[in-house]
């Protein structure tokens, strides 16, 4: 039997003598003060996911292959009957799919106002829940069979510490998947960090959205007229070796226009963004004594890591 969620109310903790409001169906459990960099970053992502949720919901919410590619080699049936945490759920696109994959219960957390979009996109699913909270102070015990965090840890002010906090929430034999920007093959993007940190992330968000559409339009043309045909034509094998960042940009050529614009916006909006080497990511898993560690590249521009807690 499923019970209706509380739309408005309050959660009280007798141990810490705190009260946490529930507004519009979402427990709001953000307590500690945030730095200016963190506040700026979460405001940017909150604007992004609420904006693109309205503009391109159908594109974002239905792509199972896209989700499974991020958490490879985890498969759809892995979710069946598990208690799952989506750490950094954004507009809820992967939270929704995790629920549909058969999770017993799945909780999506995010620090930004994107939780509003996530709740609206998953409120019809009785096994999906949304909480506004900080990865560094999550209100959970070690009860999760599986935790995934896609594109979030590299936007924290201490990515490794954020990873450690998530591992603590795993049950014994629970697994964790993370996806992060790679330091390898991203030198040109990393070189633009001062521009992003000091200029684009500080622009008014509607202005940055307009700039992202401008960049996205010309990028979309480049991908459709060059990268996609070269990679899909029989005689393009030799030519594609000459194209810079071919794996990533060919993959991007398969995105819808608005999805591509959101990718551009996503790279320009955060004040906080780090690029993680494979060695560094492996060190995260090893220091937490995780087993069955599997780290693979994704489009030669990022890393996927999976590991299991056995203690």
């Amino acid at each position: 039997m499923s019970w209706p969620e509380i739309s408005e109310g309050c959660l009280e903790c007798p141990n810490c003598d705190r009260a946490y409001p529930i507004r519009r169906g979402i427990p709001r459990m953000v307590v500690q003060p945030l730095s200016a960099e963190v506040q700026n970053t979460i405001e940017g992502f909150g604007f992004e996911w609420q904006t693109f949720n309205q503009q391109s919901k159908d594109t974002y919410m239905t792509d199972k292959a896209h989700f499974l590619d991020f958490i490879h080699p985890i498969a759809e049936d892995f979710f069946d009957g598990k208690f799952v945490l989506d750490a950094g759920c954004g507009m809820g696109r992967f939270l929704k799919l995790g629920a549909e994959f058969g999770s017993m219960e799945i909780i999506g957390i995010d620090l930004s106002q994107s939780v509003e979009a996530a709740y609206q996109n998953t409120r019809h699913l009785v096994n999906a829940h949304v909480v506004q909270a900080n990865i560094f102070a999550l209100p959970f015990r070690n009860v999760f069979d599986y935790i995934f965090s896609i594109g979030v840890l590299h936007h924290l002010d201490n990515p490794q510490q954020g990873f450690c906090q998530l591992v603590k929430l795993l049950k014994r034999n629970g697994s964790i998947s993370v996806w992060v920007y790679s330091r390898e093959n991203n030198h040109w993007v990393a070189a633009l960090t001062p521009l992003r940190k000091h200029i684009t992330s500080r622009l008014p968000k509607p202005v940055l959205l307009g700039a992202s559409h401008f960049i996205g339009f010309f990028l979309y043309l480049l991908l459709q007229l060059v990268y996609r045909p070269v990679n899909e034509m029989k005689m393009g094998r030799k030519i594609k070796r000459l194209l810079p960042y071919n794996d990533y940009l060919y993959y991007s050529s398969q995105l819808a226009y608005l999805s591509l614009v959101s990718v551009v916006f996503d790279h320009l909006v955060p004040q906080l963004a780090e690029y993680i080497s494979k060695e560094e990511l492996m060190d995260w898993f090893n220091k937490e004594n995780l087993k069955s560690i599997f780290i693979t590249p994704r489009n030669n521009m990022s890393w996927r890591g999976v590991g299991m807690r056995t203690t």
Side-chain angles (χ1 to χ4, degrees), residues 38-48 112-113 205 269:
V38 171
Q39 188 65 44
N40 181 284
T41 299
I42 65 172
E43 286 176 0
F45 285 130
F47 176 89
E48 175 185 358
S112 79
Q113 289 300 318
K205 301 305 181 284
V269 76

Side-chain angles (χ1 to χ4, degrees), residues 27-169:
R28 316 291 175 147
M29 309 188 79
V30 181
V31 292
Q32 66 278 25
L34 304 173
S35 70
E37 282 189 326
V38 171
Q39 188 65 44
N40 181 284
T41 299
I42 65 172
E43 286 176 0
F45 285 130
F47 176 89
E48 175 185 358
W49 293 123
Q50 290 185 88
T51 299
F52 285 99
N53 177 60
Q54 296 170 1
Q55 294 183 357
S56 56
K57 183 185 296 186
D58 291 342
T59 299
Y60 273 115
M61 302 302 292
T62 58
D63 193 349
K64 293 182 180 180
H66 188 60
F67 177 34
L68 294 173
D69 188 45
F70 277 119
I71 59 174
H72 173 81
I74 299 297
E76 181 176 339
D77 59 4
F78 183 81
F79 286 77
D80 191 39
K82 287 183 169 61
F83 195 15
V84 180
L85 176 67
D86 177 357
C89 64
M91 62 187 277
R93 50 183 173 158
F94 302 140
L95 174 65
K96 175 179 180 289
L97 290 171
E100 293 173 346
F101 286 173
S103 299
M104 178 180 66
E105 302 286 345
I106 181 168
I107 299 174
I109 67 99
D110 207 287
L111 187 55
S112 79
Q113 289 300 318
S114 63
V115 292
E116 303 288 348
Y119 180 74
Q120 292 302 318
N121 288 328
T122 60
R123 61 184 302 176
H124 63 290
L125 298 167
V126 296
N127 59 336
H129 316 280
V130 179
V131 176
Q132 187 174 20
N134 192 331
I135 282 179
F136 294 112
L138 290 176
F140 308 122
R141 298 177 180 176
N142 58 327
V143 295
F144 293 98
D145 300 295
Y146 179 51
I147 296 173
F148 63 87
S149 184
I150 299 174
V152 176
L153 295 178
H154 50 240
H155 292 304
L156 303 182
D157 50 4
N158 190 327
Q160 183 174 359
Q161 184 181 347
F163 178 78
C164 295
Q165 292 300 314
L166 294 179
V167 172
K168 291 178 182 178
L169 303 181

